[in-house]
Amino acid sequence: MWQMKPLSGGRGPRTDVQSRWFKGPDFLYLPESEWPKRTSMKPLETDEELRPCLVHHQRIVEDVISWTNFSKWERLLRAIEYTHRYVANCRRRSKEQPPISGCLTKEELQRAENSLWFITQATSYPEEVAVLKLAQKNPKKHIERTNPIYKLSPFLDELGVMRVDSRIGAVPYVTHNFKFPVILPRKHPITTLLVDWYHRKYLHANQETVHNEVRQRFHVSSLRVVVRRVAKECQACKISKAVPTTPEMAPLPAARLAATVHPFSYVGLDYFGPMKVRVGRSCVKRWIALFTSMTGASRELREEIVAIGKQIQETFTNSITKWMFNPPSAPHFGGAWVHLVRSLCNDWHPDDETLLTVVAEAEAIVNSRSLTFIPLENCNQEALTPNHFISKSSEQSNLQEH
């Protein structure tokens, strides 16, 4: 028999089998009626704060599918079914049966869909699915009234998929999915992929069409929000609806802001052409100069000044006139007067007299344009036009007579 010897140099504890450590207290060998009575233990009074110890229970289910690896619903669905087929072929090989091959069938794709619904609901509604499984055995178990899906009267079908219960189960001419839609979470990636598939299936059409088609099979809370979000994130829709950004207008030059100077102190000149004019049986070229109360001149006029000589230079240049030219190939620098050229441009070939008449009429029309939106003082006053500075009237007849 094994015994422990006391340490040398002193009286050690009793370590044989007769010690209380091995055989227990002596009252255990007496009848139970002779056992000592228990005394109630009163809690000790203390000044320390007593805090309750709470235990939180939470069911955590990890996703078995990496949703971010799939950008389209078709790829996800086929990947899940090929996984099912691989598992089935492994079992068939163990039984020495031929493997399944070829294109995926309708039944196989439906099996993949049911697997996706089951996985999605298991990760998004773990508590609800657990309660509904217990409710199949114990009718007293039910989802709490505070649960968001309580009003949907959810139930589990024969495949374990949670669906919405309805009162139209006896209707013979609608599908099972229409009677009992599958419940899907609004913010889950699979819902986004599914709505995107409907969005592409109906050619990025009206959002109401996508909304109506999705709700035929599924119940998604705030479905319109999901449909709008998918359409907003669709790259094809972004490209088709993209419009070029209008560039910001440059600051106005000082000549456009000189409000205290006399009219035509700054003149804009656009020298455009050539326009072909009939002279006899031949066509000759004519150019037209369009003056606007601003600064500027065209490259052709500068070349003509150099070519004609000093006489024309002295005519156009004096002590009170200064020429400032736009950069080459930059017509937008003269936007205030270049757009007026449209009033004179044409494709027909008139003669000289007709051209002069047309230019005079265009001159009268251009100079009769309103410079103010409304009269300055009262409603009976006419609007200010360039003709007021030239002929002191806005009427074309007065200009032509002048």
Side-chain angles (χ1 to χ4, degrees):
M1 183 177 296
W2 176 80
Q3 291 183 349
M4 292 182 62
K5 295 183 180 181
L7 294 176
S8 61
R11 294 182 58 189
R14 188 178 179 183
T15 57
D16 53 359
V17 293
Q18 300 298 325
S19 66
R20 187 178 180 183
W21 177 264
F22 291 97
K23 70 175 185 177
D26 296 335
F27 71 87
L28 292 178
Y29 297 93
L30 300 175
E32 188 175 356
S33 59
E34 298 181 6
W35 287 6
K37 296 183 179 179
R38 293 184 179 181
T39 57
S40 58
M41 298 294 295
K42 295 182 180 180
L44 299 176
E45 295 182 1
T46 178
D47 296 335
E48 297 180 358
E49 181 181 0
L50 299 179
R51 297 182 180 180
C53 181
L54 303 179
V55 179
H56 178 67
H57 175 72
Q58 183 179 4
R59 184 189 300 269
I60 299 178
V61 181
E62 297 182 357
D63 288 329
V64 297
I65 300 176
S66 181
W67 307 104
T68 57
N69 293 338
F70 300 93
S71 60
K72 291 186 178 181
W73 166 253
E74 306 94 304
R75 297 174 182 174
L76 173 61
L77 184 65
R78 293 183 177 276
I80 295 299
E81 181 48 39
Y82 278 120
T83 303
H84 281 298
R85 177 179 286 188
Y86 174 77
V87 174
N89 286 337
C90 291
R91 293 174 179 174
R92 294 174 68 89
R93 288 192 186 96
S94 63
K95 299 178 182 180
E96 298 182 355
Q97 296 178 353
I100 303 174
S101 60
C103 297
L104 298 177
T105 61
K106 175 184 177 182
E107 291 74 14
E108 289 179 324
L109 293 176
Q110 288 179 348
R111 180 177 60 179
E113 285 185 348
N114 292 325
S115 298
L116 287 173
W117 311 149
F118 181 83
I119 296 173
T120 302
Q121 294 173 353
T123 55
S124 301
Y125 304 106
E127 300 293 339
E128 292 81 353
V129 172
V131 171
L132 292 177
K133 288 182 179 179
L134 295 176
Q136 294 177 345
K137 301 178 181 179
N138 186 5
K140 295 183 179 180
K141 296 290 183 178
H142 57 80
I143 297 178
E144 297 181 358
R145 293 179 178 270
T146 57
N147 197 295
I149 66 173
Y150 171 78
K151 295 182 179 180
L152 302 178
S153 300
F155 72 97
L156 297 180
D157 61 5
E158 62 277 3
L159 299 176
V161 178
M162 187 166 55
R163 297 177 177 269
V164 178
D165 196 3
S166 64
R167 302 173 60 187
I168 60 173
V171 178
Y173 50 84
V174 294
T175 61
H176 180 74
N177 290 325
F178 184 85
K179 300 176 186 178
F180 309 104
V182 178
I183 300 176
L184 293 179
R186 177 168 61 93
K187 298 182 179 180
H188 199 277
I190 195 174
T191 306
T192 303
L193 294 177
L194 187 63
V195 174
D196 176 71
W197 179 73
Y198 277 96
H199 178 74
R200 291 183 287 104
K201 178 182 178 181
Y202 291 95
L203 304 178
H204 311 268
N206 190 354
Q207 296 180 6
E208 291 299 321
T209 303
V210 179
H211 177 269
N212 181 66
E213 294 299 325
V214 173
R215 65 188 299 269
Q216 302 296 322
R217 296 185 58 192
F218 310 98
H219 175 84
V220 182
S221 61
S222 303
L223 179 57
R224 280 191 171 86
V225 177
V226 181
V227 174
R228 286 196 298 267
R229 175 169 54 83
V230 170
K232 185 178 180 180
E233 297 176 356
C234 178
Q235 187 62 33
C237 293
K238 291 180 181 179
I239 295 175
S240 62
K241 297 178 181 179
V243 294
T245 304
T246 304
E248 184 179 356
M249 298 294 292
L252 293 175
R256 295 287 301 275
L257 304 175
T260 58
V261 299
H262 295 287
F264 296 96
S265 296
Y266 301 96
V267 178
L269 173 61
D270 193 9
Y271 190 62
F272 67 95
M275 298 184 66
K276 293 184 180 181
V277 177
R278 295 196 313 270
V279 178
R281 294 184 178 181
S282 62
C283 289
V284 296
K285 298 179 180 180
R286 297 288 185 265
W287 285 262
I288 300 176
L290 178 64
F291 291 86
T292 307
S293 182
M294 273 287 299
T295 57
S298 63
R299 179 175 57 85
E300 289 82 3
L301 179 60
R302 182 172 57 181
E303 294 176 354
E304 290 296 329
I305 291 177
V306 176
I308 293 175
K310 295 182 179 180
Q311 182 179 0
I312 301 299
Q313 257 184 340
E314 294 174 355
T315 302
F316 285 96
T317 305
N318 49 48
S319 61
I320 61 175
T321 304
K322 181 180 179 181
W323 295 91
M324 299 179 64
F325 297 91
N326 292 340
S329 302
H332 59 280
F333 274 68
W337 59 87
V338 171
H339 76 283
L340 297 178
V341 176
R342 294 178 299 179
S343 304
L344 302 175
C345 289
N346 218 323
D347 294 333
W348 54 286
H349 300 162
D351 52 19
D352 275 330
E353 294 181 359
T354 304
L355 178 63
L356 292 176
T357 303
V358 171
V359 171
E361 293 179 353
E363 176 188 1
I365 295 173
V366 171
N367 290 334
S368 298
R369 71 187 191 277
S370 176
L371 298 179
T372 57
F373 182 69
I374 57 176
L376 298 178
E377 296 181 359
N378 55 62
C379 60
N380 296 325
Q381 185 182 5
E382 58 182 346
L384 187 65
T385 64
N387 281 336
H388 284 89
F389 302 103
I390 299 175
S391 60
K392 299 182 180 180
S393 175
S394 63
E395 297 181 359
Q396 301 181 18
S397 58
N398 293 345
L399 179 62
Q400 293 172 359
E401 292 175 2
H402 177 72

